Amino acid sequence: MVGVAGAGKTTMLAAVASAFEASGCQVLGTATAGQAARTLADGAALPTSSTLASLVGRLDRGQLLLDERSVVILDEAGMTDDVDLARLATHAQLAGAKLIVVGDHRQLGAVGPGGALAALVARHPDAVHHLDHNRRQPNPEERAALEQLRDSDINRAVDWYAGHDRIRPVEDRDVALRAAVDGWAADTATGAEVALLAWRRANVAELNTKARAWMAATGRLTGPELDVDGVSYRAADRVIALAPDRDAGLVTSQRAIVTTVDVDIGTVMLRTGDGRQIALGGGQLGADRLGHAYATTVHRFQGSTVERAHLFADGGGRELAYVAMSRARRASTAYVVADDLGQAAEDRLAALVDAERSRLDQETRRLHTTLDVLDQRSVTASRRWQRAASEHTAATRSQQRLGRALDTTRRRLEQPDPPDRATLLRRTPANWQPAPRHAIEPELPATHEAPGL
């Protein structure tokens, strides 16, 4: 199932899951990213939804069994690498289970070797259900621009964004970062749900620093401050899980709000989006486990929806631009380092075209590599077939020899047993006399007689 950004895939999956459950099926949800799996569970009201790595691991170890009444829903399948998808599909096929693959191959792809969703769409078009109506953005012109961006009609998309003040040219990088934060802060001050996005982690880190400084300066952060590994936490801080924490019930990319900080014992209390209160301390607060969530990478934000979004345009290609500019219902604004709007639009267009060309080149190289591998496998398979054919011929000949030997043995076994001595004596006539010796042993010629006889 393929759906454009904003098509309402999660809402549709809720109806699908409900129908299968009503018929007595077990419905399992999964996604590559932890937050995507959690969003699927919440949005589709699934009792079970976990990361793909966790699900496949349990299937491999036999801790979870599928059967013909099992339905597995894989969301955001475009971000799933081919190996993981193949493993899941194999488990489903062997068990006779149903696998529903949902995503958009025109959005962000897998970090590892990917392309399976696009291949499925291209090779099995009759099996694909399309959700092609964007319900997220109310502005029909913006929906059209997003459709153009998705379909690689980059010129027209960039023209619309430039003509509607959605591309902001800024003279240098530092000023552009500040402008993106200022735009985010202005919308945040109104109480709207706002996203602050970038492609590179280094830029996300700087955006977080500037955004948190604004939060502190405007009195939005309160209470004592706890510093752990260079990351500071105060009440009202927005944080994000950088790694799964099974003990705390946090999944990767899950966001939360700090409610209280205890500096004496080194703990913070979080409130998650579903209302749970979670206490973290010690290693759970390390810089590799928890971070600020004022700004996030576009990859972490795929599948999310907000009122407004501000993007520091630092590259990433057409797919990333499409995902970033489709997150907000009302308005998405990109901040580009350029001298004026014309240059900004031209630079943005050139960057998107170059990124698209690079993506196509990578896809071509990946395809050639795949074809080379298939050729090698074909040669290997041919050799194995020839060897198997030779072994089959030899086995056939051995079977024929064994068959002949068995036939000979069977014929011998079917013959009557030779008579014993008593039987022979009973069969001998009563007047039978042994033959004379000379009749049995003729005399030797004289020339053979020994001397003196």
Side-chain angles (χ1 to χ4, degrees):
M1 185 172 297
V2 174
V4 302
K9 294 186 289 294
T10 303
T11 303
M12 177 275 303
L13 289 176
V16 171
S18 177
F20 276 113
E21 289 174 342
S23 65
C25 293
Q26 175 195 26
V27 182
L28 305 174
T30 186
T32 297
Q35 182 57 36
R38 179 64 62 86
T39 300
L40 174 62
D42 296 340
L46 296 180
T48 302
S49 182
S50 58
T51 63
L52 183 56
S54 174
L55 176 62
V56 173
R58 285 183 290 152
L59 291 171
D60 288 343
R61 295 188 295 270
Q63 297 173 338
L64 176 65
L65 298 177
L66 303 178
D67 56 32
E68 64 278 0
R69 302 295 295 173
S70 300
V71 178
V72 181
I73 299 176
L74 172 62
D75 199 11
E76 300 291 354
M79 301 182 73
T80 303
D81 65 53
D82 294 350
V83 174
D84 288 341
L85 180 54
R87 290 171 64 193
L88 178 61
T90 300
H91 280 292
Q93 183 179 23
L94 292 176
K98 185 177 186 64
L99 175 61
I100 301 176
V101 178
V102 184
D104 184 6
H105 57 291
R106 302 295 291 172
Q107 296 188 39
L108 293 171
V111 175
L117 179 60
L120 289 172
V121 172
R123 297 176 185 176
H124 305 282
D126 295 339
V128 181
H129 299 274
H130 292 272
L131 298 175
D132 52 11
H133 182 63
N134 178 5
R135 303 174 184 276
R136 180 176 295 155
Q137 286 77 25
N139 186 342
E141 292 184 0
E142 185 168 8
R143 292 199 301 267
L146 285 170
E147 183 177 355
Q148 293 159 3
L149 189 55
R150 181 181 185 272
D151 294 339
S152 298
D153 190 357
I154 301 174
N155 281 310
R156 295 173 63 191
V158 170
D159 286 345
W160 187 89
Y161 285 116
H164 290 78
D165 195 29
R166 301 296 183 84
I167 298 178
R168 305 281 178 85
V170 186
E171 57 270 22
D172 62 49
R173 174 180 175 276
D174 291 338
V175 178
L177 289 169
R178 169 52 59 189
V181 172
D182 289 344
W184 168 86
D187 287 336
T188 300
T190 65
E193 189 176 6
V194 191
L196 183 57
L197 306 170
W199 175 40
R200 301 181 186 278
R201 293 182 181 179
N203 292 327
V204 169
E206 291 195 46
L207 290 171
N208 267 318
T209 299
K210 296 179 184 299
R212 188 174 187 272
W214 176 83
M215 291 281 289
T218 55
R220 287 173 166 79
L221 302 183
T222 61
E225 185 169 80
L226 175 66
D227 185 270
V228 181
D229 291 343
V231 182
S232 299
Y233 303 103
R234 294 178 66 186
D237 257 325
R238 303 179 185 185
V239 295
I240 186 170
L242 304 178
D245 191 329
R246 187 169 299 177
D247 294 335
L250 290 174
V251 298
T252 304
S253 299
Q254 186 171 2
R255 292 179 286 275
I257 302 293
V258 176
T259 56
T260 58
V261 174
D262 192 322
V263 178
D264 295 332
I265 60 176
T267 61
V268 300
M269 185 69 72
L270 307 182
R271 185 183 67 252
T272 61
D274 55 6
R276 291 180 297 131
Q277 297 288 334
I278 299 175
L280 300 180
Q284 295 175 308
L285 299 174
D288 59 336
R289 306 294 299 276
L290 198 68
H292 293 134
Y294 302 103
T296 58
T297 62
V298 178
H299 281 79
R300 289 190 186 276
F301 214 72
Q302 178 164 316
S304 301
T305 302
V306 292
E307 287 299 315
R308 297 180 180 274
H310 297 268
L311 169 69
F312 176 71
D314 55 347
R318 182 204 58 77
E319 295 95 337
L320 186 135
Y322 174 58
V323 172
M325 300 301 282
S326 62
R327 296 306 93 196
R329 298 184 185 92
R330 297 298 175 186
S332 298
T333 306
Y335 299 84
V336 183
V337 177
D339 292 335
D340 53 44
L341 181 59
Q343 181 188 345
E346 184 177 348
D347 290 348
R348 187 63 178 156
L349 174 61
L352 291 174
V353 171
D354 289 343
E356 184 71 3
R357 185 181 295 112
S358 176
R359 184 189 68 82
L360 292 175
D361 289 342
Q362 291 177 359
E363 287 292 324
T364 302
R365 288 194 295 271
R366 189 183 67 82
L367 178 59
H368 288 168
T369 301
T370 302
L371 291 176
D372 291 341
V373 171
L374 291 176
D375 288 340
Q376 294 174 1
R377 291 179 178 177
S378 177
V379 172
T380 302
S382 178
R383 292 174 179 172
R384 289 178 177 175
W385 182 88
Q386 293 174 356
R387 184 166 61 250
S390 300
E391 293 174 353
H392 176 72
T393 301
T396 301
R397 292 174 179 173
S398 297
Q399 187 178 17
Q400 291 173 349
R401 288 195 297 269
L402 179 60
R404 290 193 294 269
L406 289 174
D407 290 340
T408 301
T409 302
R410 187 181 299 108
R411 287 194 297 269
R412 289 177 178 176
L413 292 174
E414 291 174 351
Q415 292 178 356
D417 294 335
D420 54 17
R421 180 176 178 82
T423 303
L424 289 175
L425 290 175
R426 287 196 300 271
R427 293 178 180 177
T428 303
N431 61 350
W432 177 82
Q433 295 293 332
R437 180 179 179 83
H438 64 81
I440 301 176
E441 297 179 1
E443 293 183 359
L444 294 174
T447 53
H448 289 174
E449 291 182 358
L453 293 178

